[in-house]
Amino acid sequence: MPLTRIAWRNLFNRRVQTLITIGVVAVGIAVTIAILLLSSGIKQGIVRASEPYGMLVGSKGSQAQLVFNTIFLMDNPLSNLEPDYYEALAEDERVSLAVPFALGDNYEGYRLVGTEPSFFELRARPADPAYFRLASGRLFEQPFEAVIGAKVARETGLKPGDEFVSAHGVTESLEPEQHKKHPYTVVGVLESTRAPSDQGIYVNMESYWLGHEHEEEAGTAADAGEHDTSEETRAEERGVTAALIKPKSYADLMTMYQEINQGKDAQAVFPGQTLAKIFDMMGSGEQILRYVAYVVLGMAGLTVILALYGATVERRKTVAILRAIGAGRAEVLTIVLLESAFVMLIGCAAGYAAGYGLAWLLTGYLGEHVSIAVPIGFDSQTLAIAGYVGLAGVAAGLLPALSAYRTETARYLNSA
Amino acid sequence: MLLIEELVKSYPMKGGQAVKVLEAERFEMKPGEKVAIVGPSGSGKSTLLHLISGVLRPTSGSIQLLGHELGALSEAELDRFRAKHIGYVFQSFNLLPGFSALENVQAAMGFGRKIPARERKARAAELLGRVGLGHRLNHRSHQLSQGEQQRVSIARALANRPAIVLADEPTASLDGANARQVYELLAEACGSEGAALLLSTHDMELAKRLDRVVPIRKLAPGRREDSAAYPHSLAQSV
Ligand SMILES: Nc1ncnc2c1ncn2[C@@H]1O[C@H](COP(=O)(O)OP(=O)(O)O)[C@@H](O)[C@H]1O
Ligand SMILES: [Mg+2]
């Protein structure tokens, strides 16, 4: 009978223990791999989502806030850029594309973004297709026409031709003066970008400003004196949260970046760099998660060793029988090694598959709730983890294998 | 076929003294012969069979089996030799747990050489049929009665067409009717396979049915009385 068959039979005979060991190995590997895949996938997903935006220019303040405002459509907007500053920027010779971006009101929690049709020309790389594409309808052409992100359409049920009224502020709220506002008409729905931009409602700058002025009038009526309804206010209102800048060349990009940051009026931010800093800050949390994974893995290893070692006592009898019916030392050693190799192989393979499965499930969750597409690709590190754990398990299997090798046959033949 | 001369097995005890558990001046068996070694518990019957099978090495003396001096063989050679020429039947059956009857017999086949699966299976089924278990081929060892388990182990012992079958109190765990049946089956199967049978027992009745009965104490007649180191039980042997 081939040694593999004998090993397999022995495992089957201890099937409960075998299954537990396989399960523990699989869970350890699955958790480790899922954490690894997600932590690198989330970063990639976020960085990918930031690619089409180019260099962000906003008023002085927090870099992170500017990135959150534009790419994640989150947080309170920084104070606006002066309209003149924006104009100068847009007309700069070195700029090939400047897109205004004004974060404002919300509808059912989805932020309105005032921008220009040029927003829909943004692309991650010059050769790529446009990043934002219409799934249905058309782009906005006049004030109070809105193009909505895929998630907004999915969640609110809005479709071209529908009307809605925005609410002021960051979050969804019931405002008594809603009826005073001019309703928006949906004219287009964007294809999903699997990014936070799916949660945006895009309108032209005109309607954004008109909406604000409208509201300003309503507000000033109530508490006159606190605000001048003068030119100054109007100028402030006509500003934008950020300008998305695509320069003509890399050299232009760098000089503009320096100029802007040396000036007093604005800051320029490369979202990728800012995100990298944020990731660094989150790094310690991620590190903790990794330690958790390693602890799980370590416990899995310990369970395997205990299981293998626990089996040696009952295995001695089997080994003695095998020796008495003609097996050599090398053969019983091989049989026991094969047993642990089978367990590790199945455990690693199952854990590997489960790790990707788990990552995939969590990715779906993240896509659904945070609108971040987390790319889960093949990562050679995951294979290395499964491989090392497998090797470690087989190495641990040497222990009982050697004990089988050394078993004194005669001693265990007579016991019942 | 088997020749034992001046064989001694002793175990070192605490305090540096050695305890002799077996001593045999001379013991011989002819091919196909069926011999019963009788003696009470602790008299060294198992030890003798372990020594002949090579799972235990003697302290001194010589064992020649089929023209081979066992002491001259390396352990690996001894393993091969055992696989090829010796069948083993134990008091506690020693079937492989979880293996079916068919698998238990097949497990003994193929150590040291390749036997095609089909041939292996056919041989195992044939032997199991011969011990009356043709209808129990796929039963696992724990699903078989004790008598049936011992019959599987008889089939297993004969799987490689051995020259000799060593049976260590093969019927001691079985009740009377079962014991007699297994006993006869063993003698008969060894006969038809052309294997010699060396069987240990403390049951004189059963022993008498074989060609020859050898009380274990008679293996070392001269040294019986003078050896104070002998286990006390030997004094009352048959
Ligand atoms: N490994 C060992 N170390 C010390 N004494 C042993 C060992 N194995 C067997 N013995 C002793 O050898 C004697 C003979 O044992 P055994 O051959 O099993 O007798 P039997 O099979 O006739 O009952 C017993 O007294 C037993 O205690
Ligand atoms: Mg015994």
Side-chain angles (χ1 to χ4, degrees):
Chain A
M1 203 164 168
L3 302 184
T4 47
R5 277 272 306 274
I6 295 179
W8 192 246
R9 262 270 153 265
N10 283 340
L11 284 180
F12 194 74
N13 189 40
R14 300 193 306 267
R15 54 191 163 279
V16 173
Q17 197 192 39
T18 302
L19 281 176
I20 290 174
T21 313
I22 288 175
V24 169
V25 170
V27 167
I29 288 183
V31 169
T32 313
I33 284 181
I35 287 177
L36 192 87
L37 286 175
L38 281 178
S39 62
S40 65
I42 289 173
K43 284 185 198 169
Q44 267 186 54
I46 291 175
V47 168
R48 215 173 273 182
S50 76
E51 277 172 352
Y53 291 81
M55 182 170 71
L56 309 178
V57 180
S59 62
K60 291 273 187 202
S62 152
Q63 285 181 16
Q65 201 176 348
L66 186 57
V67 171
F68 280 131
N69 286 167
T70 49
I71 292 162
F72 296 95
L73 301 174
M74 270 163 49
D75 216 338
N76 291 310
L78 287 172
S79 61
N80 279 347
L81 274 182
E82 295 290 330
D84 294 346
Y85 190 89
Y86 174 74
E87 285 308 316
L89 206 56
E91 271 149 34
D92 194 300
E93 284 196 326
R94 295 166 295 186
V95 170
S96 73
L97 181 65
V99 179
F101 190 102
L103 190 65
D105 294 358
N106 80 84
Y107 171 67
E108 292 191 8
Y110 298 104
R111 303 296 289 271
L112 264 71
V113 174
T115 184
E116 297 283 314
S118 59
F119 182 73
F120 302 97
E121 283 161 34
L122 289 170
R123 47 200 81 211
R125 278 169 216 82
D128 285 357
Y131 184 74
F132 301 100
R133 290 184 297 273
L134 281 167
S136 65
R138 56 173 174 83
L139 297 183
F140 49 73
E141 281 158 9
Q142 35 185 323
F144 298 104
E145 289 184 341
V147 172
I148 61 178
K151 188 173 182 191
V152 179
R154 200 169 58 234
E155 298 290 323
T156 64
L158 286 175
K159 53 188 186 302
D162 289 351
E163 290 192 347
F164 66 90
V165 175
S166 71
H168 183 67
V170 179
T171 47
E172 190 178 352
S173 63
L174 278 175
E175 288 189 10
E177 68 265 65
Q178 250 181 26
H179 62 278
K180 291 178 195 161
K181 294 196 172 183
H182 195 294
Y184 288 90
T185 307
V186 177
V187 295
V189 177
L190 291 174
E191 275 180 17
S192 173
T193 53
R194 315 223 305 128
S197 50
D198 282 353
Q199 304 183 30
I201 298 175
Y202 304 91
V203 300
N204 73 5
M205 290 308 301
E206 209 56 38
S207 42
Y208 175 81
W209 286 322
L210 285 175
H212 272 230
E213 278 161 20
H214 186 81
E215 186 182 293
E216 201 63 36
E217 282 160 25
T220 43
D223 47 15
E226 210 177 285
H227 283 282
D228 300 289
T229 45
S230 63
E231 270 303 300
E232 201 184 297
T233 315
R234 286 179 59 85
E236 161 73 11
E237 281 301 323
R238 291 231 159 201
V240 296
T241 310
L244 316 179
I245 301 296
K246 295 275 183 171
K248 286 185 173 137
S249 75
Y250 182 73
D252 292 339
L253 179 69
M254 295 322 286
T255 51
M256 285 185 73
Y257 177 78
Q258 278 174 4
E259 276 175 29
I260 294 168
N261 281 324
Q262 277 158 13
K264 286 195 294 275
D265 307 308
Q267 62 170 340
V269 165
F270 294 127
Q273 274 182 11
T274 307
L275 289 170
K277 272 187 214 159
I278 297 172
F279 292 150
D280 269 354
M281 265 155 39
M282 296 189 328
S284 53
E286 188 190 324
Q287 198 60 42
I288 288 169
L289 221 53
R290 279 189 193 213
Y291 286 142
V292 169
Y294 293 146
V295 167
V296 170
L297 216 51
M299 271 157 58
L302 226 62
T303 311
V304 173
I305 290 178
L306 282 177
L308 288 171
Y309 205 74
T312 51
V313 178
E314 70 179 87
R315 191 187 271 125
R316 282 203 186 109
K317 179 88 176 167
T318 307
V319 167
I321 297 169
L322 286 168
R323 293 294 306 279
I325 61 176
R329 278 190 201 274
E331 281 157 333
V332 295
L333 180 93
T334 308
I335 289 170
V336 178
L337 276 180
L338 281 172
E339 285 176 29
S340 37
F342 282 152
V343 167
M344 293 317 292
L345 197 72
I346 298 172
C348 289
Y352 193 74
Y356 272 88
L358 192 63
W360 184 77
L361 280 180
L362 290 172
T363 297
Y365 179 86
L366 284 172
E368 196 59 41
H369 295 264
V370 201
S371 287
I372 293 174
V374 178
I376 296 293
F378 170 75
D379 185 335
S380 58
Q381 262 195 75
T382 60
L383 212 55
I385 286 176
Y388 284 135
V389 172
L391 281 181
V394 172
L398 271 173
L399 219 73
L402 284 175
S403 121
Y405 185 86
R406 284 198 299 258
T407 298
E408 291 172 63
T409 309
R411 180 184 296 205
Y412 300 99
L413 285 178
N414 292 337
S415 55
Chain B
M1 184 200 67
L2 171 68
L3 177 63
I4 289 174
E5 288 175 308
E6 303 297 335
L7 185 67
V8 173
K9 177 66 187 177
S10 50
Y11 286 105
M13 296 305 274
K14 276 179 199 159
Q17 257 191 322
V19 179
K20 261 185 207 166
V21 297
L22 178 76
E23 194 164 24
E25 268 175 22
R26 186 181 169 85
F27 175 68
E28 202 176 353
M29 268 178 83
K30 292 194 273 294
E33 199 182 5
K34 299 189 183 69
V35 178
I37 295 279
V38 289
S41 178
S43 56
K45 304 183 296 295
S46 297
T47 305
L48 177 65
L49 298 186
H50 288 157
L51 289 168
I52 295 170
S53 75
V55 297
L56 205 59
R57 294 279 194 172
T59 308
S60 65
S62 130
I63 301 171
Q64 285 175 45
L65 188 54
L66 300 167
H68 290 270
E69 172 60 53
L70 297 191
L73 299 179
S74 73
E75 190 183 33
E77 286 168 335
L78 212 46
D79 290 331
R80 291 288 151 268
F81 186 84
R82 177 166 58 252
K84 203 166 169 203
H85 300 297
I86 299 174
Y88 224 137
V89 177
F90 307 91
Q91 176 181 344
S92 51
F93 322 132
N94 281 350
L95 293 186
L96 291 166
F99 284 53
S100 70
L102 209 52
E103 287 166 341
N104 260 288
V105 178
Q106 291 186 74
M109 303 165 79
F111 289 123
R113 69 199 151 119
K114 278 230 168 3
I115 301 174
R118 181 191 290 260
E119 192 181 309
R120 202 174 59 211
K121 202 167 169 181
R123 167 77 176 156
E126 177 211 324
L127 282 166
L128 286 167
R130 196 167 325 154
V131 297
L133 291 176
H135 59 303
R136 292 272 190 277
L137 299 184
N138 294 313
H139 282 56
R140 314 226 167 266
S141 27
H142 64 268
Q143 296 168 323
L144 298 167
S145 76
Q146 299 211 309
E148 287 172 333
Q149 288 189 43
Q150 195 61 308
R151 285 191 271 164
V152 173
S153 89
I154 291 170
R156 180 177 67 182
L158 292 167
N160 296 314
R161 302 180 209 281
I164 185 168
V165 170
L166 307 173
D168 194 359
E169 305 205 45
T171 60
S173 306
L174 305 175
D175 58 47
N178 252 317
R180 229 165 302 127
Q181 211 182 14
V182 163
Y183 201 83
E184 259 143 38
L185 203 61
L186 178 61
E188 201 181 280
C190 286
S192 61
E193 286 287 318
L197 173 64
L198 180 59
L199 175 149
S200 80
T201 181
H202 54 254
D203 184 339
M204 203 54 190
E205 282 306 301
L206 290 178
K208 275 180 188 156
R209 299 176 182 219
L210 298 189
D211 300 342
R212 189 151 60 97
V213 177
V214 179
I216 195 161
R217 62 168 185 171
K218 292 275 170 63
L219 289 175
R223 287 170 227 187
R224 188 97 322 221
E225 264 63 59
D226 58 71
S227 178
Y230 252 81
H232 61 95
S233 57
L234 280 184
Q236 332 143 5
S237 47
V238 186

